[in-house]
Each structure stands twice: as C-alpha cells, then as structure tokens.
Amino acid sequence: MGFLVVDRVSHTYFTEKTAVTALENISFTVEKGEFVSFLGPSGCGKTTLLSIIAALIKPTKGTVFVEGKTLDCARASAGYMLQQDYLFPWKTIEENILLGLKIMGTLTETTKKRALDLLDYIGLKGVETHYPSQLSGGMRQRAALVRTLATNPKMLLLDEPFSALDHQTKLKLEELVWQTLKDYEKTALLVTHDIGEAIAMSDRIFLFSTKPGKIVRTFIVPDELRRLSPFAARQHPQFSALFQSIWKELDQLETNK
Amino acid sequence: MKQTNEQIHSFHQQYIASRKKEKRLIRFFQLAIFVSFFSLWEVASRQHWVDPLLFSSPSAIWDLFVQKLADNSLVTHTFITLLETLLGFIIGTVAGACFGALLWWFPRLAKTLDPYLVVFNAMPKVALGPILIVALGPGFTSIIAMGVIISVIVTTIVVYSAFQEVDANYLKVLKTFGATRYQCFKEAVLPSSFPTIISTLKVNVGLSWVGVITGEFLVSKLGLGYMIIYGFQVFNFSLVLMSLLVIALLSTVMYQAVSIIEKKLMKHR
C-alpha cells in the first residue's frame, strides 16, 4: 500500500439553491518521497482535494489513507502552504515559524532549535525579530515554508504557493523548495495551473478536467527530468516535448467542453 | 558626483525647511482662531452685542472657575463625573467586547439574538434613563449604567462583525496545525480585530460622556452634568459654560490617551 491513498473520493458543495460537485471519483496513490502535481484549469476542485487531504473538510464520499490509517487518526499529518504566505503580521518571524509547534503543543527547546536551523538553511538567518511587513514577498513565502516544515509534517500540500510572486523570485523559490523537500525527503502534492512548474518540479502529473473535477490523464515525468533541479529541467530538450503534449491535452479539454 | 550629493543635500534641507514653515503656519492659524474667538466673545459681551446674561463672557467664566476651584466644589463635581465616565467607558467597552466574543463563539446565539440587537441598537438609549433611575436608585450606579448602556450594544455589534471579517486563510493556516476554536480565537481572531476594537474605544469615549452627562441631568445631585442643569435652572449661564469647557477639556484628554494607546498597539501594522 502506498504512503498516501485516495480512494474513490467525491465531494459536493451544498447551498440552499444548488449542489455543486467539485470532485468526482478521484483515486490515486502517492509513494513516500514522491512529488506529485495536480494540473488543471481554475475551478476543477484542486484546492478542495488538498483541503480533504489536509483533513480540513470531510469528503462527501470516499476515504483517504495516510500510511494505511484513515485521516481522522492521522490528523494534522500534512503541512499546508497557501497561495500567499499568510504570516501573521502582528507576530515576529520567530513567533510565526514557531506557531505550528505552539498550536500542536510540541514546542520544546529541541523543536525550536530545529525550526531556527531550518530558517538558517533557507537563507533567512537574522530576521527572527523582524515583522513580516519588513520582508520582501519571496522572503515571506520562504518564512511560510519554514513555518510549514517546522512541525515536521509527513507530507507537504502546496496550493499554488508561487503564483503571487514575480517570475524571477518564483524560479528561485521553486529551486529552493524542491531542494529542501529532497533534502528532508518529504512527500509533496502541488496544485498549479502552470504547466512548466508542474513538469520542472514533480515526478508525476495528474491532469484534471473541470466541472466536476476528474483525473483525465496521468503524465509520468521522464527520469532525466526528475533528476534535474527545476531550473535545470526547464533547459532540457525533453521538457518542451512534455510541455507540448500536456499543452495539447489541456487545449483539447477546453474545446471539448 | 560629489556635487550632485551636495545638491541633493541642499534640496533636502529646503524641503525640511518648507515643511517646518507649513507646520508653523498651521499652528499660527489654530492659535489665531482660538484667541480671536475668545476676544470677540469678551468684546461682544462687554459691548452688549450679545446678552451677557445668556452668553456670559470669558472673564466671567474665568472668575467663576477660580472661585469654584477655591471652594473645592469644582474638584468634587469634576472628580465624580470623571470617575463615572471612566467606569462607564471601561465597563461598556469590556462588556461589549465580551458579548462580541460570545456571539462569535456561539453562531447560533448570534443568529437568534440578531433582531434584538438591531432593536436595541436603533433605540435611543438615553430614553431608558428614567427606568434605570427607578431600578437602580437615583445616584452613582444608575449614572454609570447610562454610560455603559449607551456604548455596550454598538461595541458588541462592531466587535462581533470585526471577528467575523477575519481573513479565513489565517484560520486555515491554524486549522492545518489542528488548532482548537479557542486557539483560533487567541492567535488570529482577537489580534487581527485589534484595530477595530481600538476604533470603537475612540467612539466610546464620546458616547460614555453623553451617557454620564445625561444621567447627571436626570439624577441632578452631583457632577458636571448637574452643574449644567443647575446653572440652567438658576439662569447662571457662566456656570453652564464653565462646566461645558471643563467637559471639552477632559474628553479631549481622554481621546488623546486612547490615541496614544492606539499608536503603541499598532506599531507593526
């Protein structure tokens, strides 16, 4: 059995007037240490899927297993990173990165030191006493990554974490996140609508159709690209070949609607 | 290069000088309005352009002020009013914030109480004055109750809506760590609503003065409100105006104190 098993998950949002099905019959397995991307147009339920895996919402149908256990038992096993950093502006960077540990009641000298070491690793040494407003967008998103990793989650859920950044910062951060996840051997799920980002970072790509969200195709990223860091992968000839085929597939999805 | 640096420096000096000049000019006009208002008042009263019995004059008010200060009655009345206002302000604000938190904590309670809050908020609270005096007795307690009742409902409503407007993504961050409702409140809801709570403090300074002065009008025993209503009844308008000026001064001081607290709390936003 895989590290993460999503078994026939469907989710419908109810309001008094409508019932909108966001996800329909999603099943897949992710191995430990694997990097998987969900690619698709907006409104295909990608964020809903991440919220279900993060145990924030309960799916209408289906089950999610982490290391063979259902989600209720494995609560808060995932670290979640949002589109924006959502650092708390009234807390210092140190207070922000220790927030998860504090909430989970696992803040000790050891875990605190680990979080501060992580801050150092990610290149933010010396900003502990700063407030988020004193940092640039890229630095803030890096601090948010430290906050997510500080609790040592089993897997990382990335919900378009680079979409609010300028292109150069985004490329640098992709590189940094990729390297960090490889160093700490984390399983990661990335939601994105950027084809290039999905290819550059992941091992496998699930292509989603919209309304309702369904997995229409799975792309396996070739070994040559997987071994390369995101920036190097973008330069590889195989990259544009895969880009083209995903592009065509997405285009077809749009026209078939 | 050195020359341009010097140039920039001199431009900067010019800029600073022009800002200083602007500030001095504003101060001068503010002072000019103050001085000319009171001198015009004094002259108008002495020349009988206005009836000095009704509008008094700055010098008459000053004489009365010195006299009342000497016989200690002003201090007693001011002290009692200030105490009532501070208590009304603090109780009203704290109770309002607590009610707001209670409504946030129990959404069903909030939905149930919604129409009642709307009615209470719309109603002129000073109209409850006579009932309060009957219920709590004509004195200190019912005057404070006036100060409280006038600010508590609006504080509840404003604080509750601030709690609701907290960016859901901050709560999402906390919930991914498995935060309880209390942790969400303590870490995100309360601190992010601080700016709103502070701005209700500013509104409540004014409201509690209204409540307390009206209460003193009704009870008519002690305080600056009593001095105003007494002065009105015996046609001593110097007394009325003097009390007014003392109130204006004190409420300004209170407002400034809240502003200083605001600056301290808002340092990092």
Side-chain angles (χ1 to χ4, degrees), chain B residues 177-196:
Chain B
F177 295 127
T180 60
R181 202 165 165 75
Y182 171 70
Q183 283 172 323
C184 285
F185 182 77
K186 191 176 134 238
E187 301 291 344
V189 174
L190 188 64
S192 82
S193 307
F194 262 143
T196 318

Side-chain angles (χ1 to χ4, degrees), chain A residues 47-58:
Chain A
T47 301
T48 307
L49 183 58
L50 280 201
S51 298
I52 289 171
I53 295 171
L56 291 175
I57 52 178
K58 233 179 135 62

Side-chain angles (χ1 to χ4, degrees), chain A residues 47 51 56 75-76 78 80 82 86-91 99-100 102-104 131 133 147 151, chain B residues 167 169-180 183-184 186-189 191-192 268-269:
Chain A
T47 301
S51 298
L56 291 175
R75 222 185 131 67
Y80 202 116
L82 297 143
Y86 287 104
L87 294 173
F88 290 57
W90 51 86
K91 287 180 187 291
L99 183 66
K102 194 175 153 195
I103 297 285
M104 295 167 98
Y131 283 86
S133 58
R147 176 174 68 186
T151 56
Chain B
D167 193 329
N169 285 308
Y170 286 125
L171 298 176
K172 195 170 179 177
V173 167
L174 291 172
K175 279 179 191 157
T176 58
F177 295 127
T180 60
Q183 283 172 323
C184 285
K186 191 176 134 238
E187 301 291 344
V189 174
S192 82
H268 298 292
R269 313 222 177 186

Side-chain angles (χ1 to χ4, degrees), chain B residues 77-149:
Chain B
H77 287 294
T78 306
F79 176 74
I80 201 88
T81 303
L82 199 59
L83 189 67
E84 287 162 348
T85 310
L86 281 175
L87 281 173
F89 167 73
I90 291 166
I91 297 171
T93 309
V94 171
C98 289
F99 279 136
L102 206 66
L103 293 181
W104 179 84
W105 198 276
F106 302 108
R108 192 175 280 160
L109 182 74
K111 280 179 201 146
T112 314
L113 291 183
D114 182 59
Y116 298 102
L117 281 174
V118 170
V119 170
F120 267 112
N121 189 39
M123 193 169 68
K125 262 74 68 182
V126 288
L128 292 173
I131 309 288
L132 285 178
I133 289 168
V134 169
L136 303 171
F140 199 62
T141 331
S142 49
I143 295 172
I144 292 172
M146 285 285 281
V148 171
I149 208 169

